[in-house]
Amino acid sequence: MREVLLRWEELLFLADPGIRVESAQEDGEVIRVGVRCRTAGSRCPGCGRCSGRLHGSYLRFPADLPVAGRRVVLRLRVRRFTGEDISCARRTFVAKVAGLTRRYSQRTERMRSALAEVGLALAGCAGARLADVFGA
Ligand SMILES: [Zn+2]
């Protein structure tokens, strides 16, 4: 089973060492991929200090680019850290997953940029129809 998950890691994330695929499940026309961040620590966006004190984690479900015409939904577990600097206004912060998502986004970066390109090239209804055709 781990071998199959490693193939998903290579396929979806180019074997990024910061990301681990934990599950992959076909659910009709949707492929659900369980992903976890491996970061041991992160830099506070407020004060810039690094912290490895894990506060907790939570799930996000960003939509990713389709694979073989099937929608891909990531089940992404992100890690929240407690800041080291007690004078910093931010008590906790979430580790960024570089290149995968951005704050509050419900799409991966590659999905967002693909849709932006379609929107710029075709605009309006034509772009929406094309995105529908390729499952985005
Ligand atoms: Zn801070």
Side-chain angles (χ1 to χ4, degrees):
M1 182 64 183
R2 185 65 203 146
E3 193 172 298
V4 173
L5 297 178
L6 286 172
R7 299 235 173 173
W8 277 104
E9 265 177 33
E10 288 172 18
L11 177 69
L12 295 177
F13 307 108
L14 302 174
D16 183 335
I19 298 172
R20 180 184 172 104
V21 172
E22 296 193 317
S23 64
Q25 167 184 29
E26 296 178 26
D27 187 11
E29 301 208 352
V30 178
I31 299 172
R32 300 181 193 284
V33 181
V35 179
R36 174 182 290 272
C37 300
R38 292 181 178 182
T39 54
S42 186
R43 188 172 299 278
C44 173
C47 63
R49 285 188 62 180
C50 287
S51 174
R53 293 173 45 200
L54 187 64
H55 178 75
S57 64
Y58 65 92
L59 291 173
R60 293 181 62 188
F61 299 93
D64 202 358
L65 284 176
V67 172
R70 298 166 86 178
R71 285 190 324 121
V72 173
V73 175
L74 301 182
R75 182 177 179 266
L76 173 64
R77 181 164 294 279
V78 292
R79 304 179 91 188
R80 179 175 287 278
F81 292 93
T82 302
E84 298 283 348
D85 188 350
I86 56 171
S87 65
C88 179
R90 286 184 176 256
R91 300 269 185 244
T92 65
F93 52 91
V94 174
K96 286 186 179 175
V97 187
L100 185 60
T101 61
R102 66 171 61 177
R103 199 171 182 191
Y104 304 121
S105 178
Q106 295 181 352
R107 299 181 176 112
T108 60
E109 280 297 287
R110 55 187 169 216
M111 173 70 119
R112 190 194 62 74
S113 63
L115 290 176
E117 290 296 323
V118 168
L120 286 173
L122 299 174
C125 292
R129 283 194 302 269
L130 179 62
D132 244 6
V133 166
F134 72 79

